Amino acid sequence: MEKDAASAGVLPGGLFNSAEIKILICYILSRINEAVPGQMLANVLHYEGIANCFEVNEAIASLVSSGQLVCVSHEEDTYAITKSGRDVAETLKTSVPYTIKEKGYLSAFKMLTRFKNAKNTDFNITKEDNRTYITCSALDGENTFLSVKLLVGDEAQAQAIKERFLEKSSEIYSGIIDLITK
């Protein structure tokens, strides 16, 4: 099979067929059961080599126009599955290999967790007396729920800590609360 721009970045075993990509999207959103950022989903499926990001974006637009997905927020570019989309996911779930479905779901779930953590977390990297600090704060709406300030070696280390907090913020904050309340 000759590769073209629509298959760029897709690994062997990935999806090239637009119908399979649509089924995968419906499957993922059905399992996650909440609104998912469309562009972030396209990027994560592309990064994992599952499907080309342009094809995923086209599939999302097609699923919206045919009623399987609904745009929840244009500002956040988030989409949710409809009853019709759930029916597609359930009826055609065997059309896409299990390993691709699970890899896509796990990647999308991790991406969504990171997206939600980013909305509920604030970071501030500062320099004081030639020292670098990172302040990581958990937010409850507009209010700071918990804040931790750390002295770090440099800005690169601060960025690494920020990434780790984004991945595991609820575990980190739960651990801190458990330690100080027991």
Side-chain angles (χ1 to χ4, degrees):
M1 178 172 161
E2 186 176 308
K3 302 277 183 186
D4 60 10
S7 64
V10 181
L11 297 174
L15 303 179
F16 299 96
N17 179 302
S18 63
E20 289 178 331
I21 295 169
K22 290 176 189 177
I23 294 165
L24 176 65
I25 292 167
C26 287
Y27 175 82
I28 289 170
L29 270 68
S30 180
R31 290 240 358 236
I32 289 178
N33 202 27
E34 62 183 281
V36 172
Q39 187 60 52
M40 289 176 85
L41 178 62
N43 290 343
V44 78
L45 292 178
H46 182 81
Y47 175 78
E48 293 294 333
I50 295 170
N52 178 278
C53 64
F54 299 111
E55 294 291 322
V56 174
N57 283 324
E58 285 181 19
I60 290 170
S62 177
L63 289 166
V64 169
S65 68
S66 62
Q68 281 81 38
L69 298 182
V70 61
C71 182
V72 174
S73 168
H74 289 288
E75 185 177 291
E76 291 186 336
D77 182 43
T78 53
Y79 299 88
I81 195 158
T82 64
K83 166 99 171 74
S84 174
R86 285 185 196 289
D87 292 343
V88 166
E90 183 59 32
T91 304
L92 301 174
K93 67 183 175 187
T94 58
S95 301
V96 176
Y98 175 80
T99 54
I100 292 291
K101 288 187 303 193
E102 285 307 297
K103 184 178 181 182
Y105 164 71
L106 292 173
S107 299
F109 185 78
K110 183 177 178 181
M111 174 266 315
L112 184 60
T113 300
R114 187 177 171 85
F115 174 73
K116 291 190 309 191
N117 287 346
K119 286 174 45 175
N120 297 322
T121 308
D122 185 45
F123 300 94
N124 189 19
I125 300 172
T126 58
K127 290 258 189 193
E128 300 171 21
D129 298 324
N130 280 340
R131 293 181 174 166
T132 304
Y133 293 90
I134 182 168
T135 304
C136 306
S137 301
L139 305 175
D140 182 17
E142 297 286 320
N143 301 314
T144 300
F145 170 75
L146 178 71
S147 189
V148 176
K149 184 174 181 178
L150 301 168
L151 172 64
V152 294
D154 57 20
E155 286 193 39
Q157 187 179 25
Q159 287 297 330
I161 289 170
K162 176 182 175 180
E163 294 301 315
R164 188 71 173 162
F165 264 81
L166 281 173
E167 289 175 15
K168 306 274 187 179
S169 64
S170 61
E171 291 175 43
I172 292 167
Y173 294 126
S174 294
I176 291 170
I177 291 169
D178 283 348
L179 286 171
I180 62 176
T181 57
K182 287 186 178 179

